[in-house]
Amino acid sequence: MAKLTIDGVEVEVAGGSTVLQACEQAGAEVPRFCFHDRLSIAGNCRMCLVEMDKSPKPIASCAMPAGDGMVIHTNTVEVKKAREGVMEFLLINHPLDCPICDQGGECDLQDQAMAYGRHFSRFDEHKRAVKDKDVGPLVETIMTRCIHCTRCIRFADEIAGVEEFGAVFRGEHMEIGTYVEKAISSELSGNMIDLCPVGALTSKPYAFTARSWELRKTESIDVHDAVGSNIRIDARGGEVMRIVPRLNEDVNEEWISDKSRFACDGLTMRRLDRCYVRAGGKLQEAGWPQAFDAIAKALHGLGGDQTAAIAGDLADCEAMTALKDVMENLGSANIDCRQDGAKLGGARAGYLFNTGIAQIEEADAILIVGADPRWEAALVNARIRKRWRQGGLKVGVIGERRVLTYAYEHLGAGPQTLGQIAAADHEFCQVIDGAERPMLILGSGAVARPDGAAILATARSVAEKFAMVKGGWNGFNLLNRAASRVGGLDLGFTPGAGGRDVAAILEGAESGAVEFVWLLGADEIEMARLNNAFTVYQGHHGDAGAAAADVVLPGAAYSEKNATYVNLEGRVQRGHRAVNAPGEAKEDWTILRAFSESTAKTLPYDSLATLRARMAEIAPSFATANRIAPAEWQDFGTPGEMSGDAFAGPVDDFYLTDAIARASHSMAQCSALFVTGQQGKTGTDG
């Protein structure tokens, strides 16, 4: 601890703090451009100058460690004069293009120039001009505006883990960009837009579409993966203009993935905005009564064992609760939220990321089994890298060799290696046995195989053998990748007694044993196998499910409804409506409530509050939002023989994992560039 006097106020700060952080703790405002709490210290901009007793000149507070007995002044005439001088130099080469800059209204340089800038310039030489860099389809560059704060460079190197961004030349001739003209190959590249304190890096899809003060801002939750990143939806009129992150230290810190940020243009494409009923082999427009009548007619005379329902990866908890109750009223136990066939359910500890995302920073050994955290949960991968950079972390991987942005030891390709570790017959056993807080991360793809239950049981035995579960620490983690998965499992949206799972539903539909299937946004199954069954698709995009359906019911996307999602660590979170759903589309639970009136039993809730009370009745964890209900450690998985087949990554294309992303032009460009390798020629190709 160090005691300092700042503007006459004595403060005590933790060891390792800087003078700037001490000033903030004392309530003194210190401007800055290059400093960022989550990045290394650069000391480039000099905007944070303060006076220190016994120092012959002002000091850069961001780079000066706080020491005991320091006396700091932040508001003297000398300090103001020094900052005005720094600002004058920063503005020498900065273009006067605030009126057309997308950073306008959110620009740190603009704000500080109002406080410390002159109303005139003494510089009358030619201004520097820097060629803009093409760094991909997501980030727009106007490099003449760059003030060389190097935040983007440090983010790429330290957080994203891609050493593709840097600087060449010196002084005012310094240029920032990729060393070879190419796109930034990171799933987190969009965060550099937020970090840039000027308009040098902006959003390419959002460019010249709206002003920040025109936008209506709504706090919500991302659904493109299971991390549950906290986001803010900025909308104008009925259109989502952009997605930006919200601070949540326990989940996503202040970052989001590029898919979470840029797939929002898919919210307006390929939308279902009215009902359709198949007639004469073609889908025909219909009203809600006609659609419900067609469904009721198809259900007439069918028993519960002849009907089934499958929930998709983007389904919210309210909709799954309503659909579960509808199917129970129909006498059907054939319900499932595991499109991929994952052998999950039962004990809650068996399908949660029990350690918690933030607690990854406390681990000292990690065993990753059949998972690709970089594509399945980019923010989880960023946390692992953060811990790895601190030193002392050893990572072992069983599965495919992937670039994970941190060093790891590749142990093997398949379940055989996992079995060796379970039998304490592998060199890596010494690592996890000697670790104080070891972790195991099991990928969702590893349990979506025919031997998934046996793999799950073996992973549990590894956790127990090497004391990964002990007082105050649970190192067993299941890396789910679907936003609906944990919520669906908590609600019991799985086959009841004698019920069919997804594989059995598809088999029954082929054989004629299942004659009716309700798809709640389920697009990732083999639709051709449903040809013999009457299929209802309820969702928001005209994806695979809608094309195969006999009745289409237009639902609301995540940005158009108040909904509950449970992230991979079991945290209950609420999303909020930012815009209205297009056309005749409705919130999913209200569609199911309205349809239930066509059946013998009407659902007993007619408001969101009563529906959420029903959710809490099913699973008490839903009673309180923004918290994690502890999961008791129990047996899960089924011991048995594991296949010799190597683990395969469950995500083939990070950018096209769901219906919204597949409708996005931005994500299509990224997929073509980074996945299929269709990058065009650049100026370096000759």
Side-chain angles (χ1 to χ4, degrees), residues 35-78:
F35 179 81
H36 193 278
D37 286 324
R38 303 187 196 277
L39 303 176
S40 60
I41 295 171
N44 290 334
C45 72
R46 294 313 205 213
M47 198 65 201
C48 63
L49 293 174
V50 297
E51 271 195 273
M52 181 174 70
D53 282 6
K54 301 180 181 180
S55 174
K57 60 181 180 180
I59 64 168
S61 59
C62 72
M64 177 65 71
D68 206 42
M70 282 184 172
V71 179
I72 305 296
H73 307 282
T74 69
N75 55 8
T76 65
V77 174
E78 184 68 23

Side-chain angles (χ1 to χ4, degrees), residues 228-278:
S229 298
N230 287 220
I231 60 173
R232 193 189 77 208
I233 303 174
D234 290 354
R236 183 178 65 185
E239 184 179 357
V240 174
M241 305 303 295
R242 65 177 182 179
I243 304 289
V244 295
R246 283 192 295 125
L247 178 67
N248 189 322
E249 296 288 0
D250 294 329
V251 182
N252 58 300
E253 297 183 290
E254 58 188 86
W255 322 121
I256 54 173
S257 74
D258 287 349
K259 185 166 50 179
S260 304
R261 183 187 298 268
F262 295 108
C264 60
D265 62 333
L267 291 168
T268 59
M269 307 297 290
R270 305 181 194 172
R271 290 302 304 270
L272 300 174
D273 59 358
R274 64 200 68 187
C275 299
Y276 291 90
V277 175
R278 191 173 295 278

